[in-house]
Amino acid sequence: MGFRISGSSSSSCFCLQRTLLPPLTAIATSTRGFKRRSNCIPSCSVSYRKFVEFALDETTLHTHLIPSPLQEKYNFMNSKDGKGTLSMLSFEGAKIRLLRSLIIETETMQVLDFTVFPKAEYDIPIFCANFFTSAKTNIVVLDLNPLHDIINQHEYKEKYFKSLIPLGLKYAEVWLKLICKADKETDESQIFHNLEAQHRYLTWRVEKDPGQGVLKKLIGDTLAKDMLRSFLFNGVDELGSKTFNDYFPRYCCQEGTLNKKGNVIGKSFENRPWNARGEFIEYFR
C-alpha cells in the first residue's frame, strides 16, 4: 500500500492515494479514467455515509448545527440511467456559513465531496474532504483552502498554516478547534476581504472542479450546473459579482474562451510549481 502527498496552489492539501493492482503513477482526477473502469465496487467497500455521520457528530460537539435552506431542494437525486444515486446534506452554524456533503453511489464508483465554509466574519480556511472509490482505486484528499495568499501574506500563513503541517490527517479536528477559538471580525473592510476571498475560491471551483464531468454524465448538463452553483459551491452567485475572468485573467483567450492549460490538477507532487520551501511560485497557477 503506497501513499502520495499532494497539494494545490490554492490550498494546503494532504492527499493519500492507496493503489491496488495495477499501480497508479498519478492521482486520478480526470473523468476520462472513470469511463475505462467497468468493474463493480466490492460489496465490502467503506460507506462514506459513516464519515459524514462522524463529521456531523464531531461538529455538533463544538457548535450547534441547523439544517440549511438548501436541504429542502438538494437532498436526493437519481442518475439519468437509474443506476446511480446522489445524496446531499447541508447545515449552518454560528460561525459556519455552509457545511454540506454530496455522496455519489453507482455500480462502479463511490464519491464523497464534503466541505465546510466559514462565515465571512471569520478568516478560517475552507475545509474539504474528497473521497473516491472504484474497484481498483481508493483516493482520500483532506484539504484546507486558505482564503488569502499564504505566499505573500505571511501573517495569515503563520496564523493558521505553520502549525498544521505536521498534523496531517487531523485536519478536520484542527479546523473545528480553529473555528471555536476564532474571534469574530468587526472591521468591515476585513469582512469584505474575507468575503471576496471566499467568492474567489467558489468561482475557481465552479469553473475548474474536476468532478464536473462525472456530474454531467450522471444527471445531465442542466442539473449538474445547478448543483455546482447552488449547492456544492453555494454563494458563487450571491457573495460577489466578479467573474472568473476578473479573478483569473491569465486564463482568458482573445476569443473570450478559457485557456485550459496551466492547471495543476492531476500533476504529481514533483511536477507542481513550488519552490524548495514548499511555497508555490505562482498563486493559483
Side-chain angles (χ1 to χ4, degrees):
M1 178 166 60
F3 294 98
R4 175 185 294 274
I5 298 177
S6 181
S8 73
S9 60
S10 61
S11 63
S12 171
C13 174
F14 188 90
C15 173
L16 299 182
Q17 175 171 304
R18 177 190 176 196
T19 56
L20 308 180
L21 295 178
L24 300 179
T25 57
I27 294 182
T29 55
S30 170
T31 56
R32 290 176 295 179
F34 300 148
K35 296 178 181 178
R36 292 194 297 268
R37 299 187 183 105
S38 59
N39 295 332
C40 294
I41 300 175
S43 58
C44 60
S45 63
V46 176
S47 171
Y48 292 157
R49 298 177 188 277
K50 293 182 179 180
F51 174 89
V52 175
E53 291 173 2
F54 171 79
L56 291 176
D57 288 343
E58 286 296 306
T59 304
T60 54
L61 294 177
H62 297 269
T63 187
H64 178 64
L65 292 177
I66 60 173
S68 163
L70 295 172
Q71 187 63 51
E72 183 175 350
K73 179 178 179 181
Y74 301 97
N75 46 69
F76 184 82
M77 194 179 300
N78 286 311
S79 62
K80 293 189 299 181
D81 60 8
K83 297 181 180 180
T85 60
L86 296 83
S87 304
M88 293 144 276
L89 291 173
S90 55
F91 299 89
E92 299 175 351
K95 299 181 180 181
I96 297 174
R97 183 180 70 82
L98 178 64
L99 180 157
R100 55 85 176 151
S101 68
L102 166 65
I103 295 177
I104 299 174
E105 294 175 304
T106 72
E107 295 177 345
T108 58
M109 68 178 179
Q110 188 176 203
V111 178
L112 169 63
D113 189 331
F114 182 95
T115 302
V116 188
F117 299 95
K119 289 186 175 179
E121 291 84 355
Y122 306 94
D123 61 359
I124 296 293
I126 299 166
F127 173 75
C128 304
N130 299 101
F131 297 175
F132 171 79
T133 295
S134 68
K136 297 182 179 180
T137 305
N138 288 302
I139 300 174
V140 176
V141 179
L142 299 179
D143 201 352
L144 279 174
N145 294 274
L147 289 183
H148 306 298
D149 183 354
I150 62 173
I151 305 305
N152 299 313
Q153 298 185 25
H154 296 288
E155 290 184 2
Y156 187 81
K157 181 178 180 180
E158 291 291 322
K159 185 177 182 180
Y160 291 120
F161 281 81
K162 186 176 181 180
S163 61
L164 292 177
I165 294 174
L167 296 178
L169 289 178
K170 291 189 176 181
Y171 268 12
E173 177 185 346
V174 173
W175 193 91
L176 289 169
K177 289 181 179 179
L178 288 177
I179 199 165
C180 283
K181 295 179 180 179
D183 295 323
K184 186 174 183 178
E185 182 63 63
T186 57
D187 186 328
E188 291 295 329
S189 63
Q190 184 59 44
I191 293 175
F192 175 80
H193 193 43
N194 292 343
L195 197 65
E196 185 176 60
Q198 194 169 140
H199 185 253
R200 185 173 190 261
Y201 166 82
L202 293 169
T203 302
W204 172 268
R205 292 300 300 272
V206 163
E207 187 65 44
K208 292 285 191 175
D209 189 78
Q212 291 190 46
V214 176
L215 282 177
K216 290 178 180 179
K217 180 179 179 181
L218 290 172
I219 59 178
D221 289 358
T222 301
L223 287 176
K225 181 179 179 180
D226 178 65
M227 182 175 291
L228 281 165
R229 303 191 72 89
S230 300
F231 181 74
L232 290 176
F233 306 113
N234 175 269
V236 69
D237 294 320
E238 295 83 18
L239 300 185
S241 58
K242 287 187 176 181
T243 66
F244 185 90
N245 290 340
D246 293 329
Y247 287 125
F248 313 104
R250 72 175 66 92
Y251 285 90
C252 184
C253 300
Q254 291 182 348
E255 301 80 8
T257 59
L258 293 180
N259 181 6
K260 300 299 182 180
K261 297 181 179 180
N263 199 337
V264 299
I265 296 297
K267 293 183 180 179
S268 64
F269 178 92
E270 298 82 359
N271 296 323
R272 299 213 176 183
W274 48 40
N275 60 29
R277 297 188 302 275
E279 299 175 337
F280 274 83
I281 299 170
E282 183 179 350
Y283 196 56
F284 269 118
R285 181 172 177 178

